[in-house]
Amino acid sequence: MLRGDSIRPRRPHTKSRNGCKRCKARKVKCDETRPQCHNCIKHGIDCMFDKPAPSASNASSSSERKLQRDTSLPTSTAPSPNNLPGHGASVGPAMGVAEMALLHHYSTSTCYTISMHPMLQMVWRIRVPQVGFSFHFVLRAILALAALHLAHLKPENRAHYVAEAEFHHNMALQMASAVLSNITEENAPAIYLFSTLTSIISCAKPRLPDDCWMIGDRDIEWLTLFRGTWFIIESAENAIKTSVLSPIFINGIRRRRAREAKSTTNMSFLDDLRRLLKETVMDAKELACYLDAVDEMSKSFATIADVGPDNCQTADVFVWILETSEDYLRLLRERKPEALVIFSYFCVITKALEWAWWMQGLSTHLIEGIYRQLSEEHRCWLQWPMEQLGWIPRDLTFNHVQLG
């Protein structure tokens, strides 16, 4: 039996707040070993701390003095990334080998998954990173998208790459927030790119299969983000459309003109939808809003029928988001049954973009969420889009199995 005087009280645990930036971003415990903590060594990524360790201060000061002697430039007047135009309040932690690996993956793989058009692929591969080198919030968004692409390609390391994507995108959001309220001719192309990349990232984020539209609007935030790019263009249209990104807009204008010229007749599935709306929606203004949204959507269906899903471009799909009214989007956010049904038809259009990894599975994910929101009456309205997507509700599948 132990003697009473041999029992020592446990030392109180004190929560450390000096962990590295990577561990803080992932919300895991850091052992604070410098210059590389155990977690960062384990995952093969660069380790970054807010401040150098006290024991390293003398070495740091010595290196700084050596730099001043070698360059003959006082530290106080040396060019800083923070002083470069458009960077915002901060460029964030330094980038290392892990970031270079992500940029390499973007330039050799991810950039080709944003568009199938050779001219636009060149823009995303060469010109977009060039903008990122001057505006680091764009560069961080590029790294976030590349990390999500790797998460898609390497499911065994999915958690690691998703955490990397979240880290870089959060850094990008912090940097961009400093300039979003002050759009100028100089930073407008970068802000437009950041908005577009953020929209794609929103589509690519991991989806929770059982929570679609149950909490907030997370599953349709990409819709609002894509629409937001249009307002950025309106703020500095000439500066953006005459910049290094001009091929994107030249192609977009060409596709939009072709869309407007398409015939929208002989679409019986939309005629049926219009008839159902007229029979059930009593408010004249609300009905007009819905019918306008369907009319705009008919042009998108005509475009896809003409070019085929294999040649469908992002502009062919997301133009409907830009053209539909704010009133319709408000009704959609309010979960109005008729607005949800119309959006389920749009899911058939988004299916044409599933050649892109960041769109794969989104159509069925969305229509499943819509199905859960609707009453049995309005669920009947979903029959056509459900058949086009090849999606069957799980409860119906269960019933079929039981009947068999």
Side-chain angles (χ1 to χ4, degrees), residues 215-267:
I215 303 175
D217 289 327
R218 181 195 180 282
D219 286 284
I220 56 170
E221 67 178 1
W222 55 271
L223 188 151
T224 303
L225 290 168
F226 271 111
R227 191 173 175 86
T229 61
W230 186 252
F231 295 107
I232 294 172
I233 294 171
E234 288 181 335
S235 299
E237 183 173 4
N238 185 64
I240 297 174
K241 292 186 176 180
T242 58
S243 70
V244 294
L245 307 180
S246 62
I248 295 176
F249 297 97
I250 293 172
N251 179 72
I253 292 171
R254 188 181 298 121
R255 305 292 288 198
R256 183 170 293 193
R257 286 174 179 170
R259 177 178 184 269
E260 293 297 326
K262 296 287 187 299
S263 171
T264 58
T265 59
N266 300 322
M267 295 185 184

Side-chain angles (χ1 to χ4, degrees), residues 5 11 194 309 393:
D5 57 359
R11 295 177 61 185
F194 173 73

Side-chain angles (χ1 to χ4, degrees), residues 93-380:
M95 299 186 190
V97 175
E99 285 75 18
M100 286 190 286
L102 289 176
L103 185 58
H104 177 266
H105 180 75
Y106 172 85
S107 299
T108 58
S109 182
T110 307
C111 63
Y112 295 105
T113 69
I114 300 174
S115 173
M116 290 192 297
H117 195 290
M119 178 179 66
L120 301 187
Q121 287 179 340
M122 179 277 296
V123 173
W124 285 103
R125 181 171 63 91
I126 297 175
R127 296 188 177 183
V128 170
Q130 288 174 340
V131 174
F133 295 144
S134 296
F135 297 87
H136 285 190
F137 53 85
V138 172
L139 185 58
R140 291 282 182 180
I142 289 172
L143 299 181
L145 184 60
L148 286 175
H149 190 205
L150 284 167
H152 174 78
L153 296 174
K154 300 181 178 181
E156 68 277 11
N157 296 324
R158 182 173 178 271
H160 164 71
Y161 286 119
V162 169
E164 284 290 281
E166 183 179 359
F167 172 81
H168 288 297
H169 195 231
N170 286 340
M171 290 298 306
L173 289 169
Q174 292 176 23
M175 298 175 197
S177 63
V179 297
L180 285 175
S181 60
N182 183 30
I183 300 178
T184 64
E185 291 190 358
E186 182 182 16
N187 64 26
I191 294 174
Y192 167 79
L193 268 183
F194 173 73
S195 178
T196 302
L197 285 165
T198 297
S199 303
I200 297 173
I201 288 168
S202 180
C203 291
K205 282 179 181 178
R207 304 178 192 117
L208 302 176
D210 296 325
D211 293 332
C212 182
W213 278 356
M214 294 301 169
I215 303 175
D217 289 327
R218 181 195 180 282
D219 286 284
I220 56 170
E221 67 178 1
W222 55 271
L223 188 151
T224 303
L225 290 168
F226 271 111
R227 191 173 175 86
T229 61
W230 186 252
F231 295 107
I232 294 172
I233 294 171
E234 288 181 335
S235 299
E237 183 173 4
N238 185 64
I240 297 174
K241 292 186 176 180
T242 58
S243 70
V244 294
L245 307 180
S246 62
I248 295 176
F249 297 97
I250 293 172
N251 179 72
I253 292 171
R254 188 181 298 121
R255 305 292 288 198
R256 183 170 293 193
R257 286 174 179 170
R259 177 178 184 269
E260 293 297 326
K262 296 287 187 299
S263 171
T264 58
T265 59
N266 300 322
M267 295 185 184
S268 59
F269 58 95
L270 291 184
D271 291 336
D272 292 340
L273 177 58
R274 290 187 184 98
R275 184 171 62 252
L276 288 169
L277 291 168
K278 291 175 181 177
E279 289 175 356
T280 58
V281 180
M282 297 295 104
D283 185 279
K285 183 179 179 181
E286 186 175 333
L287 175 61
C289 175
Y290 291 145
L291 294 177
D292 286 345
V294 174
D295 289 344
E296 281 297 332
M297 193 181 296
S298 68
K299 301 174 186 177
S300 297
F301 275 113
T303 298
I304 294 171
D306 184 40
V307 304
D310 293 337
N311 295 312
C312 183
Q313 297 185 23
T314 53
D316 299 329
V317 170
F318 295 121
V319 65
W320 181 75
I321 297 173
L322 304 179
E323 294 295 338
T324 194
S325 69
E326 186 61 38
D327 287 336
Y328 169 75
L329 294 179
R330 174 181 54 79
L331 294 167
L332 179 65
R333 295 187 190 99
E334 293 175 0
R335 313 294 200 275
K336 290 284 188 177
E338 293 81 8
L340 289 169
V341 169
I342 292 171
F343 197 78
S344 73
Y345 281 67
F346 179 63
C347 292
V348 179
I349 296 174
T350 63
K351 180 74 173 179
L353 269 186
E354 293 206 6
W355 54 261
W357 62 273
W358 45 276
M359 287 294 291
Q360 288 175 9
L362 182 60
S363 298
T364 53
H365 176 73
L366 290 170
I367 201 168
E368 180 178 1
I370 292 171
Y371 181 86
R372 292 183 181 186
Q373 295 282 326
L374 296 177
S375 65
E376 287 299 329
E377 176 192 359
H378 287 96
R379 284 178 177 180
C380 294

